[in-house]
């Protein structure tokens, strides 16, 4: 993660947790790492230091999660925000979509999980793109939280459906071949019937025209 050495990170947390060692480890990857245990100070620090990434614990009573992010985004609308929380419900995920929030981390998490989230942030900063993709008038996908919404409602997906759909979205400019699905989702043990079942179930849950079959090759997403 050499890219993190050139990124400024603000870490905001008012609790001493088991994850404290994770933060200590993270510092070895970052040359510009700022910590505070006060959300009011965090907003002032952000205005002064303008870090590219904020990692934020939502337990603060003084300022709501939404208000904190809005204040951060008033300084930099492209700010990357990772929120750490003890639990995550459908409303939080949908609010995250509206706020173009990058990632939720659920306690407990480890260093690798945190680094993966930070990699997502760096990719977004480099590409100047959003983690939220509008697939149609009714469908929205949050690619970092792997959450699919239809008319504002979170769609319940199986683990393999999530993996299949995520592969399609990540490769939205091309068709994904059968062998790629075989290796990524089934680790070499896929049957054509298993793949067709995934596609059939997904089409039933979302708009049928979103997932296109490419004869002799595989599938692509139509966005």
């Amino acid at each position: 993660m050499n890219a993190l050495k050139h990124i400024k990170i603000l870490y905001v947390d008012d609790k001493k947790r088991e994850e404290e060692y994770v933060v200590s480890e993270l510092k070895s990857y970052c040359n510009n790492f700022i910590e505070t245990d006060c959300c009011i100070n965090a907003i002032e620090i952000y205005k002064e230091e303008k870090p590219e990434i904020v990692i934020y614990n939502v337990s603060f009573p003084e300022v709501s999660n939404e208000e904190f992010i809005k204040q951060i985004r008033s300084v930099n609308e492209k700010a990357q925000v990772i929120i750490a929380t003890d639990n995550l419900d459908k409303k939080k995920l949908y609010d995250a979509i509206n706020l173009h929030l990058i990632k939720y981390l659920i306690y407990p998490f480890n260093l690798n999980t945190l680094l993966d989230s930070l990699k997502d942030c760096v990719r977004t900063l480099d590409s100047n793109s959003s983690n939220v993709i509008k697939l149609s008038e009714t469908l929205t996908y949050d690619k970092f939280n792997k959450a699919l919404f239809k008319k504002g409602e979170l769609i319940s997906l199986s683990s393999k459906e999530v993996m299949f759909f995520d592969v399609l979205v990540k490769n939205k400019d091309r068709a994904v071949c059968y062998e790629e699905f075989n290796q990524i989702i089934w680790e070499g043990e896929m049957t054509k019937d298993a793949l067709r079942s995934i596609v059939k179930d997904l089409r039933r849950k979302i708009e049928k025209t979103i997932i296109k079959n490419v004869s002799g090759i595989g599938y692509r997403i139509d966005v």
Side-chain angles (χ1 to χ4, degrees):
M1 283 299 291
N2 289 333
L4 286 181
K5 293 188 179 296
H6 308 288
I7 297 291
K8 189 179 292 185
I9 296 175
L10 173 61
Y11 183 81
V12 190
D13 194 344
D14 68 341
K15 293 183 178 180
K16 296 294 183 182
R17 296 177 179 266
E18 293 178 1
E19 285 75 21
E20 190 173 4
Y21 80 93
V22 174
V23 178
S24 298
E25 289 292 317
L26 179 60
K27 290 178 183 178
S28 65
Y29 291 84
C30 308
N31 290 337
N32 297 291
F33 192 87
I34 307 165
E35 290 183 80
T36 181
D37 60 2
C38 173
C39 64
I40 303 299
N41 287 348
I43 294 168
E44 295 306 312
I45 291 170
Y46 190 86
K47 290 178 180 178
E48 182 176 341
E49 298 288 341
K50 296 181 175 61
E52 290 89 347
I53 301 173
V54 179
I55 305 171
Y56 176 63
N57 182 334
V58 300
S59 65
F60 300 110
E62 301 98 327
V63 179
S64 71
N65 171 18
E66 291 79 7
E67 183 59 31
F68 178 83
I69 296 173
K70 286 176 181 176
Q71 290 197 44
I72 293 297
R73 289 279 162 80
S74 70
V75 180
N76 177 10
E77 64 180 16
K78 297 177 182 177
Q80 305 299 289
V81 183
I82 297 173
I83 286 194
T85 183
D86 291 307
N87 57 75
L88 183 59
D89 56 30
K90 293 179 182 179
K91 184 179 185 304
K92 284 183 179 178
L93 268 177
Y94 190 61
D95 288 345
I97 289 279
N98 291 331
L99 291 166
H100 287 256
L101 179 64
I102 286 298
K103 189 76 174 179
Y104 270 103
L105 282 179
I106 311 298
Y107 288 113
F109 57 83
N110 58 33
L111 179 61
N112 287 335
T113 302
L114 180 55
L115 287 176
D116 284 344
S117 297
L118 290 169
K119 289 175 187 177
D120 286 337
C121 291
V122 172
R123 279 193 289 267
T124 299
L125 287 167
D126 288 343
S127 66
N128 194 29
S129 64
S130 172
N131 61 299
V132 177
I133 300 174
K134 188 172 183 179
L135 302 174
S136 71
E137 289 301 315
T138 60
L139 284 176
T140 307
Y141 185 65
D142 178 348
K143 62 185 179 181
F144 294 143
N145 292 299
K146 294 181 173 60
L148 182 62
F149 290 86
K150 185 175 184 179
K151 296 181 180 178
E153 293 293 325
L154 180 66
I155 300 174
S156 178
L157 302 177
S158 70
S159 59
K160 280 188 168 55
E161 287 172 348
V162 169
M163 293 171 72
F164 176 87
F165 199 80
D166 197 57
V167 170
L168 287 181
V169 172
K170 286 179 177 176
N171 297 279
K172 61 184 176 64
D173 296 323
R174 65 177 180 88
V176 181
C177 69
Y178 300 121
E179 185 57 29
E180 287 179 84
F181 291 121
N182 184 20
Q183 295 301 322
I184 295 170
I185 302 175
W186 283 271
E187 298 181 348
E189 299 182 358
M190 182 189 80
T191 65
K192 288 289 182 70
D193 285 343
L195 181 58
R196 290 191 193 101
S197 178
I198 292 289
V199 175
K200 180 180 178 181
D201 289 344
L202 267 172
R203 282 174 170 165
R204 179 173 50 81
K205 294 177 182 180
I206 63 177
E207 299 167 17
K208 292 182 179 180
T209 57
I210 291 290
I211 300 174
K212 299 286 189 183
N213 177 253
V214 181
S215 181
I217 299 175
Y219 294 93
R220 67 177 176 83
I221 191 165
D222 188 19
V223 295

